[in-house]
Amino acid sequence: MQAKDLNFTQEISVPVRPEAVWDALTQPDRVKDYHLAPLLRIELKAGGEIVYGTGDEVLISGTIIEYLENSSLAHTFRFGAWSQPGTSNDADTVVRYEIRREGGSTVLKLIHAGFKEANQTYANIVGGWPVILRHLKAFLERKE
């Protein structure tokens, strides 16, 4: 497998407005209801910080690369070494959320890319993202 092929992509479609999906991705009080790691901090601007974790324990951290409200969000991604053994030497990767309207639904496309090898971070996200997106979809459908 070539490095350019190492990414994770998944889409979900939910019968809500794009703003509801955006809020579910960017509002800490919403993220805690479906994500495996609570959103501790987010600065919604290019260069802003995004941190998931519990208390003072950082589970995931990154820097926002792109921000277009209700449309797209991209940030770097790194596991906190204590929370995910075997990931401390893995390079940062990039998570991109793309939101678009299709008929009466909103489609969220998640792309997690930038892997140079099938390392421990890659193994963890391939197992984690489907769970998170399934929980997000159920959360949004309950809210509507």
Side-chain angles (χ1 to χ4, degrees):
M1 183 178 287
Q2 296 180 0
K4 68 179 179 164
D5 297 327
L6 286 176
N7 65 58
F8 176 87
T9 301
Q10 186 173 344
E11 289 187 352
I12 60 171
S13 178
V14 286
V16 299
R17 296 174 301 117
E19 294 83 2
V21 175
W22 180 258
D23 287 348
L25 295 173
T26 62
Q27 301 300 313
D29 62 324
R30 304 234 172 162
V31 174
K32 70 176 174 57
D33 288 334
Y34 70 86
H35 205 287
L36 299 174
L39 180 59
L40 294 177
R41 289 185 301 281
I42 185 169
E43 296 174 285
L44 286 174
K45 62 181 183 179
E49 180 182 42
I50 185 166
V51 178
Y52 296 83
T54 55
D56 291 333
E57 304 293 340
V58 173
L59 299 171
I60 300 164
S61 63
T63 302
I64 294 178
I65 301 167
E66 178 185 299
Y67 159 77
L68 184 57
E69 190 168 344
N70 299 319
S71 181
S72 65
L73 176 66
H75 63 83
T76 61
F77 179 103
R78 173 175 283 285
F79 279 122
W82 73 271
S83 70
Q84 298 294 317
T87 63
S88 61
N89 293 323
D90 294 352
D92 287 5
T93 53
V94 175
V95 174
R96 175 177 300 281
Y97 302 95
E98 297 174 355
I99 301 169
R100 70 182 186 277
R101 193 79 172 150
E102 267 188 20
S105 294
T106 297
V107 175
L108 171 65
K109 181 177 185 178
L110 176 126
I111 305 158
H112 194 150
F115 294 95
K116 304 296 183 219
E117 62 182 340
N119 56 25
Q120 188 61 51
T121 296
Y122 183 76
N124 292 359
I125 66 99
V126 168
W129 278 125
V131 173
I132 293 167
L133 292 174
R134 186 173 62 249
H135 290 170
L136 172 58
K137 181 175 174 59
F139 168 76
L140 288 166
E141 289 172 343
R142 278 193 311 271
K143 291 291 184 186
E144 197 55 25

